């Protein structure tokens, strides 16, 4: 005899599901990431002197930088000197954009520098040849790029407009995940781009978006984690845009996504399961959730993941599984699977992660699911 308490009402997180409002979400965990990929938002306070005592204007700095980048591209004997000049020019740019500890960046000079960067095509050059720049220089490039990207004139964002007109910049950054020595820098710049909806839209609706499914499975942990951070950002930041994207591309995206849930890599598998829970439980994605929980193969996958050897995978699977059970509009194939496994599911859930005694919400949800499964009846002929 089962002594599990029967809940007459669903727990708070479940009671507004489906027909009313969808507002519950899986437990929020911070995405597993290596400390090596922490966002680098630190403004540089101490800048090297610019080209000895004389300061160059933005046009001169851009010209010098472009000339020396061209020398670096040739990879001849002059590269050491050119590398030095590139570093100085990047430092000079950074001082213009960020100011110094005792003075703010001059607005007119910043505007002039931005215009020179657009007109000269130097932004493209720096990203295309990022691997040729030394370690500190790579950091400088990402800081300059992100700073210029945030620049606004009233409600306009000129650099966002520039990149929208030159979308190959986004795809160069994305392809950076294939080059280990620039991958994390490219990730930082790419996530800054994604903050802006027009740029996020370009990436989402491109053929290159599907490359993320390859990058999050890469063997280098730091790179795979960084790629997943960007992937997650793309799928969660701009809610209405993402809902539209997922509806238009449901079959393709979820076919690729299912492979992540079968990944041999524990981190990829767990992160993907968490993100899936976030996606289908976000109220903006109601149509996506409805479609996902109507498919019997998805229910079977979650039931298998409930029995995964990792308790963390089991726990994340539970947060997706509960949506199938709690739905008042289950499709017939879903009802049949639950009925076929009714006794086993009740017994399994009764003993599922009992050690979580301090998690009242989990216990309430679990007991609610047990009641829902127990109350299922075979349809009358």
């Amino acid at each position: 005899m089962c002594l599990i308490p029967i809940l007459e009402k669903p727990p708070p997180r479940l009671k507004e599901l489906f027909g009313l409002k969808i507002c519950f979400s899986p437990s929020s965990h911070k995405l597993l990431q290596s400390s090596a990929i922490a966002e680098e938002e630190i403004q540089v306070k101490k800048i090297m002197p610019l080209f000895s005592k004389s300061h160059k204007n933005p046009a001169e700095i851009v010209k010098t930088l472009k000339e020396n980048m061209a020398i670096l591209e040739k990879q001849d004997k002059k590269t050491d000197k050119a590398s030095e000049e590139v570093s100085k020019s990047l430092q000079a740019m950074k001082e213009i954009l960020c100011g110094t500890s005792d003075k703010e960046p001059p607005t007119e000079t910043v505007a002039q520098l931005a215009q020179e960067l657009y007109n000269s095509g130097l932004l493209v050059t720096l990203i295309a040849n990022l691997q040729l720049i030394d370690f500190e220089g790579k950091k400088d490039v990402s800081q300059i790029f992100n700073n210029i990207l945030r620049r606004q004139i009233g409600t306009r964002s000129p650099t966002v407009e520039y990149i929208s007109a030159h979308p190959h910049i986004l795809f160069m950054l994305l392809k950076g995940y294939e080059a280990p020595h620039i991958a994390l820098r490219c990730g930082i710049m790419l996530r800054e781009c994604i903050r802006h909806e027009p740029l996020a839209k370009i990436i989402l609706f491109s053929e290159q978006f599907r490359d993320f499914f390859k990058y999050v499975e890469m063997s280098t942990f730091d790179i795979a984690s960084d790629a997943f951070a960007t992937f997650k950002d793309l799928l969660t930041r701009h809610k209405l845009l993402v809902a539209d994207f997922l509806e238009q591309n449901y079959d393709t995206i979820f076919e690729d996504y299912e492979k992540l849930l079968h990944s041999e890599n524990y981190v990829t598998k767990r992160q993907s399961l968490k993100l899936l829970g976030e996606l289908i439980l976000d109220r903006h994605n109601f149509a996506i959730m409805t479609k996902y929980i109507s498919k019997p193969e998805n229910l079977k996958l979650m039931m298998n993941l409930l029995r995964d050897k990792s308790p963390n995978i089991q726990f994340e699977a539970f947060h997706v599984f509960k949506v199938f059970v709690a739905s008042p509009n289950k499709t017939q194939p879903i009802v049949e699977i639950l009925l076929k496994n009714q006794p086993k599911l009740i017994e399994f859930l009764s003993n599922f992660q009992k050690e979580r005694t301090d998690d009242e919400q989990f216990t309430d949800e679990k007991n609610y699911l047990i009641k829902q499964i127990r109350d299922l009846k075979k349809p009358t002929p």
Side-chain angles (χ1 to χ4, degrees), residues 292-314:
Y292 189 84
I293 65 171
S294 71
K295 309 283 187 184
E297 59 270 24
N298 294 334
L299 174 58
K300 289 175 184 175
L301 175 57
M302 288 308 128
M303 288 169 67
N304 285 330
L305 289 172
L306 280 172
R307 304 175 70 90
D308 192 272
K309 62 184 179 182
S310 162
N312 291 320
I313 299 286
Q314 294 172 8

Side-chain angles (χ1 to χ4, degrees), residues 257-312:
Y257 205 103
E258 186 177 339
K259 293 170 188 170
L260 299 182
L261 301 178
H262 288 286
S263 175
E264 294 295 317
N265 184 309
Y266 165 76
V267 176
T268 300
K269 191 174 183 178
R270 183 181 174 188
Q271 287 178 334
S272 302
L273 200 46
K274 284 183 192 175
L275 180 55
L276 175 64
E278 275 190 48
L279 291 174
I280 68 168
L281 291 163
D282 189 300
R283 62 187 179 83
H284 296 90
N285 296 332
F286 185 84
I288 302 302
M289 179 202 68
T290 303
K291 191 165 186 177
Y292 189 84
I293 65 171
S294 71
K295 309 283 187 184
E297 59 270 24
N298 294 334
L299 174 58
K300 289 175 184 175
L301 175 57
M302 288 308 128
M303 288 169 67
N304 285 330
L305 289 172
L306 280 172
R307 304 175 70 90
D308 192 272
K309 62 184 179 182
S310 162
N312 291 320

Side-chain angles (χ1 to χ4, degrees), residues 43 52 101 112 137 156 179 222 264 282 301 324 329 331 366:
Q43 296 288 2
S52 68
S101 56
Q112 190 186 348
R156 284 182 56 230
D222 286 356
E264 294 295 317
D282 189 300
L301 175 57
F324 289 90
N329 301 308
T331 59
K366 190 172 70 161

Side-chain angles (χ1 to χ4, degrees), residues 98 123 140 153 157 191-192 239 270 285 303 315 325 328 332 337 360 365 373 375:
C98 306
L123 270 184
D140 292 341
I153 302 175
S157 297
R191 282 190 293 281
E192 190 65 37
K239 305 291 188 181
R270 183 181 174 188
N285 296 332
M303 288 169 67
F315 187 65
V325 179
Q332 192 54 39
I337 291 172
E360 291 182 15
E365 288 183 353
I373 294 170
D375 289 350

Side-chain angles (χ1 to χ4, degrees), residues 150-168:
R150 295 180 195 128
R151 179 172 168 264
Q152 286 188 292
I153 302 175
T155 57
R156 284 182 56 230
S157 297
T159 309
V160 173
E161 293 170 9
Y162 176 78
I163 296 174
S164 294
H166 301 83
H168 61 290

Side-chain angles (χ1 to χ4, degrees), residues 129-155:
N129 297 291
L130 192 59
Q131 72 279 4
L132 301 178
I133 302 172
D134 64 25
F135 179 78
E136 288 300 321
K138 289 183 180 71
K139 287 170 65 176
D140 292 341
V141 169
S142 63
Q143 289 176 0
I144 289 165
F145 182 90
N146 288 359
N147 188 295
I148 207 87
L149 190 56
R150 295 180 195 128
R151 179 172 168 264
Q152 286 188 292
I153 302 175
T155 57

